Amino acid sequence: MRKDVRILLVGEPKVGKTSLIMSLVSEEFPDVVPYRAEEITIPADVTPERVPTHIVDYSEAEQTDEQLFQEISKANVICIVYSVNNKKSIEKVTSHWIPLITENTDKDSRVPLILVGNKSDLVEHSSMETVLPIMNQYSEIETCVECSAKNLKNISELFYYAQKAVLHPTGPLYCPEKKDMKPLCVKALARIFKVSDQDNDGILNDNELNFFQRTCFNTPLEHQALEDVKNVVRKNLIDGVRDNGLTLKGFLFLHMLFIQRGRHETTWTVLRRFGYDDDLELNQDYLFPPLKVPPDCTTELNYNAYLFLQSVFDKHDKDRDCALSPEELEDLFDVFPYMPWGADVNNTVCTNEQGWITYQGYLSQWTLTTYLDVQRCLEYLGYLGYSIIAEQESQADGITVTRDKKIDLQKKQTQRSVFRCNVFGEGGSGKSGFLQAFLGRNLLRQKTIKEEHRSYYAISTTYVYGQEKYLLLHEVFPDFDYLSDSDLACDVVCLVYDVSNPYSFEYCAKVFKQYFMDSKTPCMMIAAKSDLPEVKQMYGCSPLEFCRRHKMPPPQSFTCNTAGDPSREIYTKLTTMAMYPHVSQADLKSSTFWLRASVGATVFAVLGVAMYRVLLKSR
């Protein structure tokens, strides 16, 4: 909403423009009226909408045409004043003033007009019959007010309507010619309905209507008031109420009624509460609230955000199979202006046998977005109505900014839940297979992935010492000379070589020695394709000897060419190394260290299945 309102009064000489302003300010008709009143400012606390209002007079005798054009361009609303007892001043509205205003305003930003019939005390009849055709001809005319500066009739109402025309304009909402709401308005209200329909059954029940009422107007509706609203809809629409709840058609009908009865402020209050600006676009301040992320800090979803996202998933998982079908996913993202997830997402997170994103995969993708691009995450949460449904100040309240990684290293403990592992290796070494295996896909399933749907990320959960953590794998493009800061910034490094290719290990050794040998980032060597015959690596020393010299754990054998799901043990090890980078290399080589970490993983994997079943039953 605008921070202030600028009202300009124009019209023929002696129609009473200056008298109207002076009568408003002094609350009495002035004995002496100057040619032009000075600009006045009405403070916010004395206006109905709590917005400072500037009222500007125009005098043909004291101002040039150029000054008039400047004032027109600065005005938020223009009152064209005519005298109800002067037919020529009414004719000038269409022959002079409206064309003049149109020529001097931006064609893309329509300035609302108010017709003001002054001196109503001098006649017994109304000018409305004459003015009505003008109002029908020009859609920019918001309303017409007949008033009298002499007896103070409708003076405060005039300026209230002028203020209202700026703060609650009809133009973006309603088309007078078609007598219908405009498409953008319908689209915005449809999104608001869908966000408010928290069980996604296509109606707003009493609880949802009351929550909506409290959200927008800070007060619930009494039971009888709710019934009265629904009865109004029932009388006018066959399918406006269903199962005693308000349908989308009924919801739209109510707003049409508000607009047609001049109660635009009701619809605008709803639109603005849900983040819309005057052009019915979601406000940038709403979508991107301030969030400061210092260097060496990461971003994660907090408990409240995960609860909200879980409720969104439950709302759209119609068949209760703990996965989202393409239709269910499309329904979930119906409140977005575009489809945010492409086909690559299905190869970034866990899916079921049909290739549908599971509950775990859904939360993982949100976790990935928050970690990699928190601004995008804020935008997405805004489309879903997080701040409204979760009753938070903004989407930023759903984000945790982790502390500096240096502090974690000093304290030898971390509060983070998401760890990044950058995966290096030359082309054909098995990096992509390593990522997909983390999502439970063996080589056979991986062969069905289309190249255009390939993902360079994989994210899922692992358990370390009984704690659930997210491990984010990122496949780094194998261009040794052009590794960016983001390629190097991670919590653990994974160096993948193909045991069946004698030249594969050399790349891993070079990357390690140039970029990671002197860093504090823990590294692990992966001997990929271990189901194939191992050959001697054409390097100065064997991979095992290389790891020993550089105090790394020995190379970890890995294959995704399995009958069932590939082993996840190696991913637990990577997460453990990311969580405890300060642990000595001797401990990392110890079998008891890995045993303690992986026991938690096994226990929680079993518990995870149990919780999955409980979730299904409870739903």
Side-chain angles (χ1 to χ4, degrees):
M1 186 153 46
R2 288 187 178 277
K3 294 181 179 177
D4 62 357
V5 173
R6 190 172 182 84
I7 302 171
L8 172 65
L9 274 70
V10 298
E12 294 300 292
K14 297 186 179 180
V15 292
K17 301 182 295 295
T18 308
S19 299
L20 287 169
I21 296 171
M22 296 185 73
S23 293
L24 174 73
V25 174
S26 62
E27 296 185 347
E28 61 180 9
F29 187 67
D31 294 328
V32 179
V33 181
Y35 281 114
R36 176 173 171 265
E38 292 296 320
E39 178 180 328
I40 66 162
T41 298
I42 302 174
D45 56 357
V46 296
T47 64
E49 298 295 338
R50 303 291 177 188
V51 176
T53 301
H54 312 281
I55 302 175
V56 181
D57 194 8
Y58 163 69
S59 168
E60 187 179 310
E62 290 198 351
Q63 288 174 287
T64 64
D65 286 348
E66 186 58 37
Q67 287 174 314
L68 171 61
F69 301 156
Q70 286 179 3
E71 287 298 347
I72 288 173
S73 67
K74 290 192 290 184
N76 302 130
V77 57
I78 299 174
C79 297
I80 305 177
V81 184
Y82 63 88
S83 175
V84 293
N85 66 341
N86 183 337
K87 192 175 180 182
K88 187 178 179 181
S89 71
I90 299 176
E91 290 170 355
K92 283 279 191 175
V93 169
T94 52
S95 64
H96 176 68
W97 288 109
I98 292 179
L100 181 74
I101 292 165
T102 303
E103 286 170 18
N104 290 279
T105 51
D106 188 352
K107 290 179 175 61
D108 296 327
S109 56
R110 167 188 171 279
V111 178
L113 306 178
I114 306 285
L115 299 186
V116 181
N118 191 25
K119 304 186 181 182
S120 63
D121 56 294
L122 298 180
V123 295
E124 293 182 0
H125 62 274
S126 170
S127 63
M128 285 297 181
E129 194 174 322
T130 309
V131 170
L132 201 57
I134 300 173
M135 292 177 67
N136 290 333
Q137 186 180 350
Y138 297 96
S139 60
E140 57 265 50
I141 298 175
E142 289 281 326
T143 190
C144 177
V145 181
E146 287 193 341
C147 58
S148 168
K150 188 170 186 178
N151 62 19
L152 309 183
K153 178 188 173 185
N154 287 344
I155 301 298
S156 57
E157 286 83 356
L158 154 64
F159 292 101
Y160 167 69
Y161 282 122
Q163 191 184 58
K164 184 178 170 182
V166 177
L167 302 177
H168 311 297
T170 309
L173 307 182
Y174 188 73
C175 179
E177 292 85 3
K178 296 180 180 178
K179 295 184 179 177
D180 203 356
M181 285 191 292
K182 289 188 174 178
L184 271 181
C185 180
V186 172
K187 184 180 177 182
L189 290 172
R191 172 186 164 264
I192 290 168
F193 178 90
K194 189 162 179 62
V195 167
S196 303
D197 181 13
Q198 295 184 42
D199 55 9
N200 201 28
D201 63 352
I203 60 169
L204 298 184
N205 60 39
D206 286 2
N207 288 335
E208 289 165 342
L209 281 169
N210 255 319
F211 182 83
F212 171 83
Q213 179 73 14
R214 283 200 318 274
T215 298
C216 297
F217 305 103
N218 298 317
T219 178
L221 281 172
E222 295 293 331
H223 175 73
Q224 190 54 51
L226 269 175
E227 290 306 311
D228 290 346
V229 167
K230 285 184 277 189
N231 285 333
V232 168
V233 176
R234 283 190 187 101
K235 286 178 184 175
N236 291 274
L237 275 183
I238 298 172
D239 49 359
V241 176
R242 190 182 79 238
D243 298 330
N244 203 37
L246 200 62
T247 65
L248 174 59
K249 283 187 177 179
F251 184 73
L252 294 174
F253 168 78
L254 281 177
H255 283 282
M256 172 85 85
L257 211 58
F258 293 142
I259 294 165
Q260 288 178 337
R261 292 181 179 180
R263 289 177 54 192
H264 316 102
E265 65 272 18
T266 303
T267 300
W268 273 116
T269 300
V270 170
L271 289 164
R272 289 189 175 121
R273 179 66 184 90
F274 279 79
Y276 288 92
D277 62 17
D278 289 352
D279 297 317
L280 296 185
E281 299 287 343
L282 283 170
N283 200 304
Q284 294 297 293
D285 292 339
Y286 167 79
L287 289 176
F288 304 103
L291 181 70
K292 188 177 180 181
V293 184
D296 294 323
C297 298
T298 58
T299 44
E300 301 177 359
L301 294 164
N302 63 27
Y303 177 72
N304 286 332
Y306 277 120
L307 275 184
F308 169 76
L309 290 170
Q310 179 184 334
S311 71
V312 172
F313 183 94
D314 290 345
K315 168 178 171 177
H316 293 90
D317 183 18
K318 292 282 193 178
D319 54 8
R320 300 293 183 256
D321 63 349
C322 281
L324 294 174
S325 68
E327 293 75 25
E328 289 170 340
L329 200 62
E330 188 178 339
D331 185 38
L332 189 153
F333 289 126
D334 189 46
V335 293
F336 284 55
Y338 54 87
M339 183 63 179
W341 292 1
D344 62 315
V345 173
N346 294 58
N347 300 313
T348 304
V349 300
C350 293
T351 57
N352 64 11
E353 291 179 357
Q354 294 163 287
W356 300 350
I357 295 171
T358 61
Y359 172 70
Q360 182 59 57
Y362 163 84
L363 292 181
S364 295
Q365 179 62 25
W366 277 100
T367 303
L368 176 74
T369 305
T370 308
Y371 186 94
L372 295 179
D373 189 351
V374 71
Q375 291 299 315
R376 184 64 58 90
C377 177
L378 292 172
E379 179 189 357
Y380 289 176
L381 288 172
Y383 293 139
L384 290 174
Y386 172 75
S387 60
I388 293 152
I389 302 303
E391 299 183 79
Q392 301 285 321
E393 182 110 5
S394 75
Q395 298 89 271
D397 292 330
I399 307 296
T400 295
V401 178
T402 65
R403 68 188 180 189
D404 193 319
K405 191 176 175 182
K406 297 188 194 74
I407 298 173
D408 284 353
L409 290 169
Q410 288 167 7
K411 292 183 177 287
K412 296 185 178 181
Q413 60 179 4
T414 182
Q415 298 168 329
R416 291 186 294 152
S417 298
V418 185
F419 298 92
R420 178 171 178 151
C421 171
N422 282 356
V423 182
F424 294 84
E426 68 173 3
S429 62
K431 299 188 302 297
S432 298
F434 185 72
L435 265 67
Q436 289 303 310
F438 183 37
L439 305 176
R441 294 169 190 148
N442 60 20
L443 189 60
L444 195 62
R445 281 187 68 187
Q446 290 178 28
K447 287 179 177 177
T448 64
I449 298 171
K450 295 179 181 178
E451 181 60 31
E452 62 268 28
H453 297 159
R454 182 180 170 189
S455 175
Y456 292 94
Y457 291 94
I459 183 170
S460 189
T461 54
T462 61
Y463 291 91
V464 178
Y465 293 121
Q467 299 178 62
E468 184 184 46
K469 301 294 179 182
Y470 282 93
L471 179 63
L472 161 58
L473 301 179
H474 171 47
E475 179 183 341
V476 178
F477 190 75
D479 190 342
F480 183 80
D481 297 322
Y482 293 98
L483 294 180
S484 67
D485 289 342
S486 64
D487 291 333
L488 303 175
C490 56
D491 302 300
V492 62
V493 171
C494 196
L495 300 160
V496 181
Y497 71 95
D498 176 0
V499 299
S500 67
N501 180 349
Y503 303 100
S504 184
F505 177 73
E506 184 180 10
Y507 176 88
C508 294
K510 281 184 177 180
V511 168
F512 175 81
K513 290 175 83 172
Q514 177 152 341
Y515 295 108
F516 298 108
M517 189 163 69
D518 298 322
S519 80
K520 292 182 179 179
T521 307
C523 299
M524 180 180 278
M525 199 70 71
I526 306 293
K529 305 185 183 180
S530 61
D531 57 302
L532 299 177
E534 186 172 359
V535 299
K536 183 181 178 180
Q537 293 295 319
M538 303 303 288
Y539 187 70
C541 63
S542 70
L544 180 61
E545 181 58 30
F546 183 90
C547 290
R548 187 177 292 125
R549 285 180 189 177
H550 296 287
K551 298 180 179 178
M552 292 167 62
Q556 306 290 304
S557 294
F558 173 80
T559 180
C560 56
N561 190 10
T562 56
D565 294 348
S567 169
R568 289 175 60 89
E569 181 184 350
I570 203 163
Y571 305 106
T572 301
K573 289 183 177 183
L574 285 168
T575 312
T576 307
M577 290 172 69
M579 285 179 68
Y580 304 106
H582 56 278
V583 173
S584 69
Q585 295 303 319
D587 280 341
L588 288 175
K589 293 173 189 175
S590 163
S591 59
T592 55
F593 176 83
W594 296 119
L595 184 62
R596 289 199 307 272
S598 59
V599 163
T602 306
V603 170
F604 270 79
V606 172
L607 281 175
V609 173
M611 289 300 293
Y612 182 88
R613 288 172 179 160
V614 169
L615 182 65
L616 278 174
K617 284 181 181 177
S618 65
R619 296 165 72 194

